[in-house]
Amino acid sequence: MQRIDHIVNLLKDYLLGDIDEQRTAEIERLFLEYPRLKEIIEELNSEEELQEALCTYEELYTDAFREREERVLNNILFQVKHRSSIWRTRLLWRRLAIYSSAAAIIVLALFASIIWRQRIVEPKTTEEMINAFTPGGNKASLTLSNGRQINLSDAYSGIVIDGQIGYQDGSSLFDEGSVAEDEMLTLSTPRGGQYQVTLSDGTKVWLNAESKLHYPYRFSKDIRTVELEGEAYFEVAHLKGSPFIVKTSKEKVEVLGTHFNVNSYQADINSTVALLEGKVKVSSGEDYATVLKPGQQSVMRKGKMEIQTINVDECVAWKNGEFMFNNETLENVMKKVARWYDLDIELSSNLKHVEIWGSVSRYDNFNTVLKLIKMTDDGIRFEVTGRRVRFVK
């Protein structure tokens, strides 16, 4: 067994690339002794192959096997004869060809056992999994009317339409003249993404995670219309006689020149328009319309609109790189957090209306958000499975 243990460690270091010249020569001699050993070692560099090798080890490596190694080949032949599965039969015959002696089988089985068991008994801790949930960043795609999609560079925070479509440093996305004047464009951000666009009239738009902005390459002279799905912050350029209109599935916002935030996700019950500067008219169909003043927010809920006085800093915190919660329900908080960190978050029913107060940077890891929640109620626990986080109490 001492030689086998040495060979197992040698193969393990070889696969990890941690091997010096002397041991390289040793492993080359081993590959000469077992010509196809190198091939099977490289095949074992996958979880499926490692698991299969481990199963073989557990089936074959018994006390009797250690005493009478010559019986191993007979055991393999016996398994081939009595397995009905074509796939399993092929696998065992392949192993029979590869493992030309009992010693080779022991070496590979032990090697697979060590590596595979390390992966099983040393899973990532919950803390390690949480720390792996990193914040979002500059991610977006631009889609043309013909369906052509361009993945935008994360090295930039936005694009600009100014005689051409390009990044903020002036580098162009298209050849000049390749985009028609009436071309309709769609800027889309995924979960965990954000991006900016400066439209042809000079209006600046910040797009939050999991959002879409539909807009023309060039606006007409009489009216400027865009469509929004999700959340965006607008700084509208004032053009006399050319109103700027933002359409969502739940309302229409008309402005002449102003700063405002629209939050209108399809999956959310509420749709809001928050005004920072200027004046906007918010309407829902032909039944209701209101003019907002700075510091006010319209809330569309189940077809009805109400007006609230708000802290505008909270409404645009996301645009400034922050999460800011002022006695906001945990259910609403987690919708925002899930979009930004690209997570599936589930809350037990008794936690949905727990109120959260505080602020954290959007560029902190998810663990910082968890600390904020625990400060609110230390009795809240969480369970992590993949990218799904479940909160219970």
Side-chain angles (χ1 to χ4, degrees):
M1 289 294 292
Q2 184 175 1
R3 179 173 182 268
I4 290 175
D5 289 341
H6 173 73
I7 293 174
V8 167
N9 288 328
L10 184 66
L11 292 173
K12 181 179 176 181
D13 291 343
Y14 168 77
L15 195 58
L16 294 173
D18 184 19
I19 191 167
D20 56 26
E21 291 184 7
Q22 181 178 349
R23 300 177 75 209
T24 298
E26 185 178 358
I27 203 166
E28 287 177 353
R29 288 194 297 270
L30 184 65
F31 288 154
L32 286 174
E33 185 177 357
Y34 304 106
R36 296 192 63 191
L37 182 58
K38 182 176 181 180
E39 179 183 340
I40 194 60
I41 288 297
E42 292 175 346
E43 289 180 0
L44 284 173
N45 192 22
S46 71
E47 292 186 356
E48 182 180 3
E49 291 288 345
L50 288 171
Q51 193 170 23
E52 288 300 326
L54 177 58
C55 289
T56 300
Y57 166 67
E58 291 175 339
E59 292 171 2
L60 301 178
Y61 195 64
T62 64
D63 291 338
F65 174 81
R66 283 196 297 268
E67 296 173 2
R68 295 181 298 277
E69 292 179 353
E70 67 275 5
R71 295 181 59 184
V72 172
L73 296 181
N74 291 331
N75 287 342
I76 295 179
L77 290 171
F78 177 82
Q79 291 184 61
V80 170
K81 183 177 179 180
H82 289 83
R83 298 272 183 165
S84 59
S85 168
I86 295 175
W87 179 84
R88 175 67 83 174
T89 300
R90 179 177 59 82
L91 179 63
L92 289 171
W93 272 111
R94 186 189 68 179
R95 287 180 179 166
L96 177 62
I98 292 173
Y99 306 131
S100 58
S101 72
I105 294 177
I106 296 173
V107 169
L108 290 178
L110 279 173
F111 170 70
S113 175
I114 289 173
I115 299 297
W116 181 251
R117 287 195 186 280
Q118 282 183 341
R119 296 188 182 188
I120 296 256
V121 302
E122 296 180 9
K124 286 186 176 180
T125 64
T126 300
E127 184 177 357
E128 288 174 328
M129 294 173 72
I130 289 296
N131 286 333
F133 297 155
T134 54
N138 297 326
K139 302 173 189 174
S141 62
L142 185 67
T143 305
L144 307 186
S145 299
N146 61 9
R148 179 187 174 189
Q149 188 176 81
I150 300 164
N151 291 324
L152 301 176
S153 172
D154 59 5
Y156 300 91
S157 60
I159 56 174
V160 178
I161 300 176
D162 184 14
Q164 60 179 2
I165 303 176
Y167 292 111
Q168 294 149 326
D169 65 352
S171 55
S172 179
L173 286 174
F174 305 98
D175 295 332
E176 189 173 352
S178 60
V179 181
E181 292 288 315
D182 59 350
E183 181 81 41
M184 288 300 298
L185 306 172
T186 301
L187 181 65
S188 306
T189 55
R191 291 168 67 90
Q194 64 180 10
Y195 226 73
Q196 302 173 27
V197 57
T198 300
L199 303 177
S200 61
D201 65 338
T203 292
K204 296 180 180 180
V205 186
W206 285 255
L207 206 60
N208 204 352
E210 202 173 17
S211 301
K212 291 182 180 180
L213 183 71
H214 307 276
Y215 58 95
Y217 175 54
R218 298 289 183 197
F219 287 115
S220 67
K221 294 182 179 180
D222 299 331
I223 194 167
R224 298 169 288 168
T225 303
V226 301
E227 296 180 15
L228 174 68
E229 301 173 36
E231 184 170 21
Y233 175 76
F234 293 82
E235 290 186 357
V236 177
H238 176 70
L239 291 178
K240 187 176 181 179
S242 180
F244 191 97
I245 296 177
V246 180
K247 292 182 178 181
T248 76
S249 62
K250 301 170 184 176
E251 69 259 288
K252 181 173 74 172
V253 185
E254 299 180 52
V255 302
L256 290 175
T258 190
H259 297 185
F260 61 100
N261 190 82
V262 181
N263 186 325
S264 185
Y265 286 98
Q266 293 278 8
D268 291 356
I269 296 175
N270 295 346
S271 181
T272 64
V273 179
L275 181 63
L276 282 77
E277 296 180 16
K279 185 183 294 186
V280 299
K281 178 182 178 182
V282 183
S283 58
S284 174
E286 298 180 357
D287 299 329
Y288 189 86
T290 188
V291 176
L292 296 181
K293 299 176 182 178
Q296 288 185 331
Q297 172 178 270
S298 65
V299 181
M300 283 296 303
R301 182 184 293 112
K302 296 181 179 179
K304 296 183 178 180
M305 183 185 294
E306 63 179 83
I307 308 302
Q308 299 174 344
T309 300
I310 55 164
N311 180 338
V312 294
D313 290 338
E314 295 172 14
C315 295
V316 297
W318 68 267
K319 176 249 183 186
N320 297 323
E322 285 186 276
F323 284 117
M324 189 178 294
F325 310 121
N326 184 6
N327 296 328
E328 192 167 351
T329 65
L330 188 58
E331 183 176 26
N332 287 340
V333 166
M334 284 307 160
K335 287 179 181 178
K336 298 174 182 179
V337 169
R339 289 184 184 116
W340 182 239
Y341 289 93
D342 189 16
L343 299 173
D344 292 323
I345 296 180
E346 180 183 345
L347 299 175
S348 60
S349 58
N350 62 334
L351 288 178
K352 291 184 178 181
H353 300 291
V354 171
E355 293 184 340
I356 301 296
W357 184 92
S359 65
V360 294
S361 170
R362 272 166 54 106
Y363 300 105
D364 285 338
N365 281 1
F366 184 63
N367 192 39
T368 304
V369 178
L370 289 180
K371 290 178 181 177
L372 179 64
I373 295 169
K374 294 289 283 184
M375 287 173 61
T376 301
D377 188 338
D378 195 49
I380 297 176
R381 297 179 293 105
F382 58 89
E383 303 163 355
V384 181
T385 305
R387 297 193 70 82
R388 179 180 294 275
V389 183
R390 183 170 186 267
F391 289 86
V392 295
K393 183 179 178 181

